[in-house]
Amino acid sequence: MPISFTYVKESLIFSKRTFIYPGMLESGVQANDLEPVWTMQISERESTLCQGRNGPAIMTARMEGHRKDLAQFNYQGKMSSGGFDGTKLTWAFIDFEGRRYDWMAGIMQNCWKLEDDKGQTVANYIGMSRDFRLKGTVTFHTKVTESLIALIILSTRMLKYADVNLH
């Protein structure tokens, strides 16, 4: 059974935080009475995934390269990397067990599918909404570890730069 999480931007105008809530929310207002599972704190080149609203950091990611086409991930002292694969035109990353995953663009650039190295769909990300606070929804289609959940959530930030690299 698929499990979904919705990205909701903090309502403060200049906030760099996005809260991740369970389920598929249709508006930012629905999140007002909920507690987030995670918080993504975003700066120009770094992102940190924290537990809950103000909890400890779980994973950090640093975007690198001129077009922000590379990323380094740190999870409990373990390092991994990801980036744009120009031959496949995908955003790929290696998990902490050494398996490769590829984000592939759908027909619309805001819809992405994540496949494992066997070609099975692991997750989908839809990054569009009419509500300015909703930033996207990720849906997991297979059972995944905590480290892979964190890696997938932080890797969706790379997709923001896909338009620059795909064209």
Side-chain angles (χ1 to χ4, degrees), residues 23-91:
M24 293 184 80
L25 305 181
E26 294 179 15
S27 74
V29 174
Q30 287 180 294
N32 291 345
D33 297 326
L34 301 173
E35 276 301 310
V37 178
W38 303 285
T39 298
M40 191 179 341
Q41 298 181 34
I42 299 168
S43 67
E44 174 65 21
R45 290 192 174 265
E46 291 188 1
S47 299
T48 302
L49 188 67
C50 302
Q51 289 179 337
R53 187 174 299 274
N54 295 306
I58 298 171
M59 182 182 287
T60 59
R62 174 153 179 79
M63 303 292 290
E64 299 174 350
H66 174 68
R67 295 188 297 180
K68 299 180 184 171
D69 55 351
L70 301 170
Q72 295 294 320
F73 301 96
N74 184 336
Y75 174 78
Q76 299 178 352
K78 297 177 189 175
M79 297 295 292
S80 185
S81 62
F84 182 70
D85 181 336
T87 59
K88 291 178 129 185
L89 297 179
T90 64
W91 278 91

